[in-house]
Amino acid sequence: FMMYSELVKLGTHIPTDYMKEDIYSCAATDGDNSAVMLSYYNDADEAEARTVKLEFEGGNMPLRVRVYVLDEEKNLEPVREEIFSADKFSVVIDMQINSSVLVKLERM
């Protein structure tokens, strides 16, 4: 719920094209800042980790990108921060089974 509340605060839903088996996405923006929430759920305990590649285009550069993880070990903890200034860039995330990730894009 904490991740979803971050999206609600931004206000405007962004349609996401990212769909892979067992990975669900939702995104929002306020025009300057954006966020993407990803959840990887599978009933099978033996399901393997998955690599997700999020591709971004356009936007108000430069952007600070922060990645937060919620899983068995982390409670929405920041795990990575990068700054991007290109018109196109991608963020690659390794996701464990039954975990969620919040990617925040903040205009600098």
Side-chain angles (χ1 to χ4, degrees), residues 5 8 13 17 20 22 24 29 31 40-42 48 52 62-63 71 74 78 80 83-84 92 95 103 108:
S5 72
V8 171
H13 172 260
D17 292 334
K20 281 195 174 182
D22 302 327
Y24 307 93
T29 188
Y40 174 25
Y41 176 77
N42 188 307
E48 295 186 15
V52 176
L63 290 174
D71 62 13
K74 296 174 188 70
R80 192 164 93 214
I83 295 175
F84 292 94
V92 177
M95 295 189 70
V103 180
M108 295 178 61

Side-chain angles (χ1 to χ4, degrees), residues 32-79:
D32 287 326
N33 304 296
S34 302
V36 178
M37 181 178 72
L38 298 168
S39 292
Y40 174 25
Y41 176 77
N42 188 307
D43 281 334
D45 290 336
E46 67 277 358
E48 295 186 15
R50 302 276 296 274
T51 299
V52 176
K53 182 178 180 182
L54 299 176
E55 297 179 350
F56 299 95
E57 190 172 326
N60 300 315
M61 300 300 173
L63 290 174
R64 174 177 286 117
V65 176
R66 292 184 174 137
V67 179
Y68 300 82
V69 173
L70 175 65
D71 62 13
E72 288 184 5
E73 298 172 4
K74 296 174 188 70
N75 188 17
L76 199 55
E77 295 175 23
V79 295

